[in-house]
Amino acid sequence: MHTTQQRRLRSRSPSCLAFLPEVVGAQLALASEISFEAGWRFRAIRRAQIRTYCSPSIMRDITLSDQFPELERLPLDSFEQVVMSGSLRVVADIENPIGLNLFAAGIRELFTHILHRLAPDPEVTKCKWYEPEPNTNGPTRRQRAKYATQGGLPDEFIEGAGVDVGDLHSEAIKAIDRLSKYTHVRPGSLVSDQSEINVFVRGALAAMEGLFASFDECRSKVLDAVYDQIDEEVVSTFISETIESIDEIATHHCIDEVCIEDLAVVAITHDVIKFMVSGSIGVELQWGSSSDFRRGDGAAIDKSFPFRVTMWSSVDDITSFEGVDYSIDTDSWWDGYYDDDEQ
């Protein structure tokens, strides 16, 4: 998920000060909004369009968004976005002799923060599949990656659903180990070869993409496994209950079809999995009784309305749904309904 953020760049030396006006002038045609502030600062929106704030001969694209457009889609929180941006910006400076080291430190901490955010200790340790590893204090990285992928779902269910993301987890863990090698600035840890730096950066970011891809793959496989049961639950809910928001529109209504358009796993914890379903419900709205229709006094039309349903189930019995709640949006029917009376 990408959200446009504001960024503030500050010139760092007199040599940059002399070049800054030229940079700003060159970017006016690209940036959607630029405003100068005291101290040779400027704010720009649409970060992918901001190139440099020092000499272009010593800086690459500071966001690397051209090379890694998929990074814009990673579901990072606000802190993680800042760490990602700062890490990319520091490694973009090809004259910084410790640029790779600073990048490695930032991305390593980013991996750690993501795993701890998505797999907190109390949740991981409550999973039935969790067993403490020898000589460790709490969940390991691999166990956190496993929890962020499947929560407390049993391994047997995951295997039966065809989820196989072990390689993606392994690549992420290997990437963290490689990042750790360069985190501390010591003799022998500096890398000046630009092609080697590029390969290292691409490898680390690809591993992060793979980690998030493992989460998506598991959820997709889970939904494939339970789609029919969820479809049945949604249809049963609408048929077995009086839908008040539709009932107040017409004398009678009949459900013709229920169409699921989107189905998502919104959360998996150590004990439950939560679903959200959206789609449209097709109904026949009828005004008047059967005798009214026989006399030609009744009326009926077909109409569809969007709906949303939420439900959850235990990780031990994933097709037994509870807490089913729904809402149907009938605003399209009432739009303009009272306009004549108001006039």
Side-chain angles (χ1 to χ4, degrees):
M1 179 178 59
H2 168 62
T3 56
T4 303
Q5 287 189 316
Q6 292 184 336
R7 299 187 177 276
R8 177 174 296 174
L9 309 181
R10 182 193 296 272
S11 59
R12 297 185 177 180
S13 68
S15 62
C16 288
L17 289 179
F19 185 73
L20 185 56
E22 179 183 343
V23 174
V24 175
Q27 298 304 315
L28 280 173
L30 293 175
S32 59
E33 176 184 342
I34 295 180
S35 60
F36 283 94
E37 297 180 340
W40 288 99
R41 296 179 295 180
F42 67 93
R43 179 176 296 156
I45 295 177
R46 296 177 65 184
R47 64 182 180 185
Q49 296 175 338
I50 304 172
R51 294 291 179 179
T52 60
Y53 58 98
C54 286
S55 169
S57 65
I58 66 171
M59 295 287 289
R60 295 190 299 274
D61 182 342
I62 62 175
T63 66
L64 304 186
S65 59
D66 291 339
Q67 298 181 47
F68 304 102
E70 56 279 351
L71 295 180
E72 302 288 344
R73 297 190 293 270
L74 295 184
L76 306 178
D77 66 20
S78 58
F79 170 77
E80 292 161 358
Q81 291 175 26
V82 170
V83 175
M84 173 67 80
S85 173
S87 300
L88 291 176
R89 287 179 62 178
V90 74
V91 79
D93 185 353
I94 62 176
E95 287 199 351
N96 186 340
I98 61 171
L100 178 63
N101 305 84
L102 298 177
F103 168 84
I107 298 300
R108 181 182 182 278
E109 291 307 310
L110 181 56
F111 267 110
T112 299
H113 187 271
I114 289 171
L115 288 175
H116 280 257
R117 173 173 64 87
L118 298 179
D121 287 20
E123 282 291 314
V124 180
T125 56
K126 290 177 183 176
C127 293
K128 293 182 179 179
W129 51 256
Y130 173 76
E131 291 184 6
E133 294 286 341
N135 303 317
T136 60
N137 182 21
T140 63
R141 290 171 184 151
R142 186 175 295 277
Q143 288 170 332
R144 292 186 193 278
K146 179 176 181 177
Y147 176 87
T149 302
Q150 70 184 65
L153 288 170
D155 292 340
E156 296 78 13
F157 174 84
I158 292 297
E159 293 170 4
V163 179
D164 183 10
V165 294
D167 290 345
L168 295 176
H169 291 173
S170 294
E171 284 303 313
I173 293 168
K174 290 177 183 177
I176 296 173
D177 292 337
R178 289 191 292 267
L179 290 164
S180 298
K181 178 181 177 181
Y182 295 101
T183 296
H184 301 291
V185 181
R186 297 189 179 98
S189 70
L190 304 184
V191 179
S192 58
D193 182 82
Q194 198 55 53
S195 61
E196 185 178 347
I197 292 174
N198 290 341
V199 170
F200 184 87
V201 170
R202 289 190 177 92
L205 298 180
M208 182 167 293
E209 287 180 66
L211 183 62
F212 280 101
S214 71
F215 308 154
D216 292 339
E217 180 176 339
C218 180
R219 282 157 173 73
S220 178
K221 295 288 188 180
V222 168
L223 293 176
D224 288 343
V226 300
Y227 181 90
D228 290 341
Q229 290 86 349
I230 288 180
D231 180 66
E232 182 179 340
E233 182 71 25
V234 171
V235 172
S236 175
T237 297
F238 288 142
I239 291 177
S240 62
E241 297 186 17
T242 299
I243 305 175
E244 295 182 3
S245 59
I246 295 179
D247 199 48
E248 65 184 8
I249 293 175
T251 310
H252 307 282
H253 71 268
C254 176
I255 297 176
D256 292 330
E257 64 175 357
V258 176
C259 179
I260 292 178
E261 298 167 2
D262 188 53
L263 175 59
V265 173
V266 295
I268 309 178
T269 68
H270 74 278
D271 60 346
V272 301
I273 178 168
K274 301 176 183 179
F275 303 95
M276 183 171 68
V277 189
S278 59
S280 61
I281 179 171
V283 297
E284 181 186 70
L285 301 175
Q286 177 182 322
W287 291 267
S289 63
S290 299
S291 58
D292 291 330
F293 270 83
R294 286 193 295 271
R295 293 193 303 270
D297 295 331
I301 63 170
D302 293 326
K303 184 70 175 177
S304 66
F305 301 101
F307 71 80
R308 176 173 293 183
V309 178
T310 57
M311 64 183 79
W312 60 270
S313 61
S314 167
V315 294
D316 295 321
D317 190 3
I318 193 172
T319 58
S320 294
F321 304 108
E322 299 185 49
V324 180
D325 187 31
Y326 69 86
S327 62
I328 297 178
D329 184 359
T330 59
D331 287 351
S332 61
W333 176 264
W334 300 106
D335 284 346
Y337 189 84
Y338 298 104
D339 288 353
D340 292 339
D341 293 340
E342 293 174 356
Q343 294 175 0

